[in-house]
């Protein structure tokens, strides 16, 4: 993997060969359908990470105690199918070296390549959108097609937070997948839903994807496709804290558009740290 980053994630000071977790960015937004600029997110999120204290009181853990490395950004091709292949190859290299990939997007289409390589039993995603289109604007690898493409690799899909999509998409999602809309989360509470999800997943492998627009845009407005009436940052943190206790083989945080006052990027930086710290705490021997 080539590094083209000027800034690396704070406290990612472990050499690659000694690391357990490897962060890498995919600065690609070639299929963005509303506001462009998610390609700038990896650097913005890294910059925001330097505002965070090293100590995580929830885990009683200092981030430098964790063996994690930042490999920088991929030098992305122009077309989404080619970027999918680039991500798949990068993740394959990490898996061969025994690393847990932590990917920073970029738009959500970058998830497809990671899932293809890892082939988990379960795909868990927090997202405002269902992303179930077979193709959109001329490409089956559009960021509006992520769930459709992932479903070609993973049959067990859990969608948390959707509130945007066609009538046909919602009908299909209710029939084929485990769907917990933003309204369901509001009515039931995220903890109740996660207890149910935990029973479904058991000890099987999981890929966890967080689309930043799962969060209500009134809280984190730096989004390419903003939607109100969504989840809270605390809801997403609870998802990460619970799911990392399971057998997670890969993680990404995507679709941040750093055009606000920095709040969306700093939430992303916090939650990336939550994933690394949570997984480390649950699985450290």
């Amino acid at each position: 993997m080539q590094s083209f980053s000027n800034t690396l994630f704070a406290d990612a000071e472990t050499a690659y060969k000694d690391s357990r977790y490897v962060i890498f960015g995919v600065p690609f937004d070639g299929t963005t359908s509303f506001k462009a600029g998610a390609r700038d997110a990896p650097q913005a999120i890294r910059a925001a990470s330097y505002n965070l204290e090293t100590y995580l009181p929830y885990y009683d853990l200092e981030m430098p105690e964790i063996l994690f490395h930042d490999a920088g950004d991929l030098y992305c091709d122009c077309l989404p199918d080619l970027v999918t292949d680039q991500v798949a190859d990068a993740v394959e290299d990490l898996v061969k070296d025994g690393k847990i990939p932590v990917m920073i997007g970029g738009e959500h289409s970058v998830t497809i390549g990671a899932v293809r390589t890892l082939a988990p039993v379960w795909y868990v995603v927090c997202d405002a959108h269902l992303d179930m289109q077979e193709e959109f604007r001329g490409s089956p690898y559009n960021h509006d097609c992520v769930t459709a493409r992932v479903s070609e690799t993973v049959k067990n899909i859990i969608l948390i937070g959707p509130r945007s999509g066609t009538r046909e998409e919602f009908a299909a999602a209710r029939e084929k997948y485990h769907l917990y809309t933003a309204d369901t989360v509001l009515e039931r509470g995220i903890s109740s839903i996660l207890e149910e999800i935990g029973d479904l997943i058991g000890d099987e492998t999981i890929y966890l994807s967080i689309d930043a627009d799962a969060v209500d845009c009134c809280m984190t407005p730096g989004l390419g496709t903003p939607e109100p009436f969504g989840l809270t940052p605390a809801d997403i943190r609870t998802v990460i804290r619970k799911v990392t206790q399971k057998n997670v083989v890969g993680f990404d945080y995507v679709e941040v558009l750093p055009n606000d006052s920095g709040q969306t990027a700093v939430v992303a930086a916090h939650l990336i740290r939550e994933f690394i710290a949570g997984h480390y705490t649950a699985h450290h021997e």
Side-chain angles (χ1 to χ4, degrees), residues 12-278:
E13 298 172 355
T14 305
Y16 177 84
K17 65 182 180 63
D18 299 321
S19 64
R20 174 61 172 148
Y21 307 91
V22 175
I23 294 171
F24 71 102
V26 188
F28 177 73
D29 58 4
T31 77
T32 300
S33 51
F34 188 43
K35 297 180 182 179
R39 69 182 65 186
D40 297 323
Q43 282 298 292
I45 292 167
R46 289 180 174 107
S49 72
Y50 284 86
N51 186 50
L52 310 180
E53 298 284 356
T54 60
Y55 180 63
L56 285 75
Y58 181 80
Y59 299 105
D60 187 22
L61 184 67
E62 294 274 356
M63 285 301 293
E65 296 173 17
I66 306 173
L67 301 178
F68 76 109
H69 175 83
D70 188 341
D73 291 345
L74 295 182
Y75 187 66
C76 295
D77 285 323
C78 295
L79 300 176
D81 53 330
L82 300 180
V83 175
T84 294
D85 291 340
Q86 285 183 291
V87 172
D89 290 344
V91 172
E92 183 176 11
D93 289 341
L94 295 177
V95 171
K96 286 178 180 177
D97 291 339
K99 316 300 184 186
I100 301 291
V102 178
M103 181 168 62
I104 309 176
E107 63 171 65
H108 208 166
S109 66
V110 303
T111 298
I112 299 167
V115 173
R116 281 188 179 173
T117 292
L118 292 165
V121 177
W122 291 87
Y123 173 69
V124 179
V125 60
C126 297
D127 199 331
H129 307 90
L130 292 172
D131 293 344
M132 293 174 62
Q133 298 292 324
E134 283 302 318
E135 69 87 31
F136 191 70
R137 299 178 71 182
S139 175
Y141 293 93
N142 189 284
H143 75 149
D144 200 27
C145 307
V146 179
T147 304
R149 297 289 75 74
V150 165
S151 70
E152 296 168 350
T153 301
V154 183
K155 301 308 176 187
N156 300 301
I157 293 177
I158 297 173
L159 305 159
I160 305 173
R163 52 201 183 274
S164 178
T166 67
R167 174 179 287 177
E168 292 76 15
E169 281 181 298
F170 271 95
R174 291 187 182 101
E175 179 183 352
K176 297 168 63 177
Y177 308 134
H178 301 276
L179 173 63
Y180 300 92
T181 67
D183 283 337
T184 303
V185 174
L186 180 63
E187 292 163 5
R188 290 185 51 185
I190 195 64
S191 295
S192 168
I193 288 168
L194 287 167
E195 288 296 324
E196 185 172 302
I197 288 172
D199 291 340
L200 284 170
I201 291 173
D203 296 326
E204 295 177 319
T205 54
I206 308 159
Y207 187 94
L208 177 60
S209 179
I210 307 296
D211 187 316
D213 65 30
V215 177
D216 193 309
C217 65
C218 301
M219 298 180 183
T220 55
L223 304 167
T225 48
E227 292 283 347
F229 311 115
L231 308 183
T232 68
D235 288 332
I236 305 294
R237 185 179 66 176
T238 301
V239 171
I240 291 171
R241 286 178 174 178
K242 293 293 185 181
V243 173
T244 51
Q245 296 175 28
K246 299 289 188 175
N247 187 13
V248 185
V249 295
F251 173 79
D252 66 52
Y253 203 102
V254 298
E255 296 277 354
V256 170
L257 173 59
N259 67 346
D260 56 2
S261 298
Q263 57 267 53
T264 310
V266 79
V267 166
H270 265 282
L271 293 175
I272 290 166
R273 295 192 341 153
E274 281 282 342
F275 172 79
I276 295 170

